[in-house]
Amino acid sequence: MVREQYLTTTDESGALSSVSEYIYMIGIYGWRKRCLYLFVLLLLIILVVNFALTIWILRVMWFNTEGMGYLQVNADGLRLEGESDFLFPLYAQEIHSREDSALLLHSSENVTLNARNANGDVTGSLSVGPSQAEGFGQHFNISSNHDENLFYADGNGAVVGKGKLRVTGPEGAVFEHSVRTPLVKAVLNKELKLESPTRSLSMDAPKGVHVKALAGNVDVTAHFNILLHSTTGLLVLEAESVRLPTLPVGKARTSGDSQGMYDMFEVCVCPSGKLFLSNAGVSSTCSEHQDC
């Protein structure tokens, strides 16, 4: 705002003359001044509201010098007391429970644990859902508290590290392929059954196969034939008595009936227990064809 002011002065001749002087006054007046005051008042109100909200958030979230409520921040990491809900994925290097309590993970859908490499690719995963549990990785290993290998599995096979694998299901265990084990044993006072419903069952061992029933019988049942082969050794049946109760009984022949005589044999037994065949005759021919 500029204001013009006139002053009266006297010159050398004594005549009066008027001199104009300009005085500059700087400021905000009128509606601009009122708008400025209103804006400053609005800033003060926003500042007070923000300060009140900050105090309210600090009180509600329980912020303190050690952390936030049950969440404490220390040099070893984060410590969380009580139950917590995570709405998004949780990334952590290690998760430990308290020394006097267990670590529980609950989810209405499933719980998934993923391991990633430096590129962010998933190298191992374990997912536990409402109906099944799934996991994948290069290998799977279960160890005891003393760092003993209990179970190990990879693409080549599975290994049970402890001395015994017990199957307690009523239907037993079903193996689609071969099983390598030094001992197959039934539970005490239970029967042991090895069965192949649609294929053959074979037991191979470089130093021998032993089948023992200390308090019962050994039953071998087949729909067709039961073959016992020994390549270079003997077949020994060691028992108090060896019985063949269902052998067919042949018809008696007369001395003059020699037709088909050489198509029949008789079984002979040596004093050592060895069996051999001899051509059948009217009487025993074992003494004539001894092979003991």
Side-chain angles (χ1 to χ4, degrees), residues 66-275:
E66 296 181 354
M68 181 181 63
Y70 293 121
L71 181 63
Q72 300 178 3
V73 182
N74 49 38
D76 298 332
L78 299 178
R79 180 175 180 178
L80 184 60
E81 300 287 345
E83 297 182 0
S84 301
D85 297 331
F86 297 94
L87 303 180
F88 296 98
L90 174 64
Y91 297 92
Q93 183 178 4
E94 294 182 1
I95 299 177
H96 299 276
S97 64
R98 295 176 52 182
E99 295 181 357
D100 56 348
S101 63
L103 177 62
L104 301 178
L105 301 178
H106 297 278
S107 176
S108 59
E109 294 297 332
N110 58 1
V111 177
T112 303
L113 303 178
N114 293 330
R116 300 178 182 272
N117 55 12
N119 299 327
D121 301 328
V122 177
T123 57
S125 177
L126 176 62
S127 177
V128 180
S131 59
Q132 62 182 357
E134 296 180 352
F136 73 90
Q138 295 182 355
H139 62 270
F140 181 73
N141 189 19
I142 299 177
S143 301
S144 63
N145 296 333
H146 303 289
D147 200 16
E148 296 179 354
N149 188 15
L150 300 180
F151 182 80
Y152 178 84
D154 57 10
N156 298 325
V159 178
V160 179
K162 206 60 179 174
K164 183 183 297 184
L165 172 63
R166 178 175 296 178
V167 180
T168 59
E171 298 297 330
V174 179
F175 301 96
E176 296 182 357
H177 301 284
S178 61
V179 178
R180 181 180 297 177
T181 177
L183 177 63
V184 179
K185 186 177 180 181
V187 184
L188 186 62
N189 298 328
K190 298 292 183 180
E191 295 182 355
L192 174 63
K193 293 183 179 180
L194 301 178
E195 182 180 2
S196 178
T198 59
R199 294 295 185 269
S200 61
L201 177 64
S202 61
M203 293 184 291
D204 301 327
K207 293 185 178 181
V209 177
H210 301 275
V211 180
K212 295 182 180 180
L214 301 179
N217 301 328
V218 176
D219 297 331
V220 179
T221 305
H223 183 68
F224 290 104
N225 301 326
I226 297 177
L227 305 179
L228 301 177
H229 294 281
S230 178
T231 305
T232 58
L234 301 176
L235 178 60
V236 179
L237 300 177
E238 184 177 355
E240 294 182 358
S241 61
V242 178
R243 299 180 181 180
L244 303 175
T246 59
L247 288 178
V249 178
K251 296 181 180 180
R253 296 180 179 273
T254 61
S255 59
D257 187 5
S258 62
Q259 184 178 0
M261 181 68 68
Y262 297 99
D263 295 335
M264 300 182 65
F265 300 88
E266 60 177 328
V267 179
C268 303
V269 182
C270 295
S272 62
K274 180 180 179 181
L275 302 179

